[in-house]
Amino acid sequence: ETGVTQTPRHLVMGMTNKKSLKCEQHLGHNAMYWYKQSAKKPLELMFVYNFKEQTENNSVPSRFSPECPNSSHLFLHLHTLQPEDSALYLCASSQDPVSRDAGRFKEKLFFGSGTQLSVL
Amino acid sequence: ELKVEQNPLFLSMQEGKNYTIYCNYSTTSDRLYWYRQDPGKSLESLFVLLSNGAVKQEGRLMASLDTKARLSTLHITAAVHDLSATYFCAVPWFQGAQKLVFGQGTRLTINP
């Protein structure tokens, strides 16, 4: 148990469906992340939220819509996905990535168990 | 931009053998992380290496860091099947905020 909980663990959806992935962290961290992991590109950073504000969007298609209502919760809303979007989606959190205090590894990531998504 | 490269990307070995995974990175960093991922599972933190010459060991795994060479190694001693997994190294990079840049991962398969 890493303190980062993701639901659901598995999701199968059609291309016309709308679904959401949920992530919750119980570590008191300030930053949360969405990663996509597929066979073609092992670990891709999608979005970063720091203190609820989105600080990074790595050219992710608009069919993926993140939401971060507070520092403990992160959602990824999915709509009109394509089969190539099938992948493992990982949520992670870190303590305080803005600080450059090297001695306390504030950038260390703690990952959730992931959601295995299949788009039919 | 920071680039992190691992080699090999795939490694199949027999139980009882020794091997090393290499992680090279392109810009200066004084620390490095190693993660393990079992198939279909999440990433689990293995080691945090904090300075030049740092060495960490747990069981049959030993990690080291040479910041001057921008190189970290993960050495496996007398491999056992339970160590089969994908191993990632990650290096911090500050660009407005600190983030971890991951290598491609090394998929390790240990055969009986």
Side-chain angles (χ1 to χ4, degrees), chain A residues 29-58:
Chain A
H29 289 168
N30 296 319
M32 298 188 76
Y33 309 73
W34 281 116
Y35 282 85
K36 174 184 177 182
Q37 188 177 35
S38 61
K40 291 185 177 180
K41 292 187 178 181
L43 204 59
E44 295 177 79
L45 178 62
M46 300 174 72
F47 301 104
V48 181
Y49 278 82
N50 194 27
F51 291 97
K52 303 188 301 178
E53 299 296 323
Q54 187 179 122
T55 57
E56 189 154 345
N57 176 340
N58 274 349

Side-chain angles (χ1 to χ4, degrees), chain A residues 35 37 42-43 45 56 88 90 97-98 100 102 105 107-109 111-113, chain B residues 30-31 33 35 37 41-43 45 50 88 92 94 97-100 102 104:
Chain A
Y35 282 85
Q37 188 177 35
L43 204 59
L45 178 62
E56 189 154 345
L88 180 67
L90 292 163
V98 177
R100 300 197 72 168
F105 10 105
E107 75 278 349
K108 180 179 177 181
L109 291 174
F111 286 87
S113 303
Chain B
D30 58 2
R31 59 195 183 282
Y33 296 80
Y35 285 85
Q37 185 181 33
K41 300 288 181 64
S42 189
L43 277 76
S45 177
L50 294 178
F88 291 90
F94 191 89
Q98 199 83 302
K99 65 178 182 179
L100 289 184
F102 285 82
Q104 313 97 308

Side-chain angles (χ1 to χ4, degrees), chain B residues 25-43:
Chain B
Y25 52 98
S26 61
T27 63
T28 302
S29 178
D30 58 2
R31 59 195 183 282
L32 185 141
Y33 296 80
W34 282 98
Y35 285 85
R36 167 183 171 149
Q37 185 181 33
D38 292 309
K41 300 288 181 64
S42 189
L43 277 76

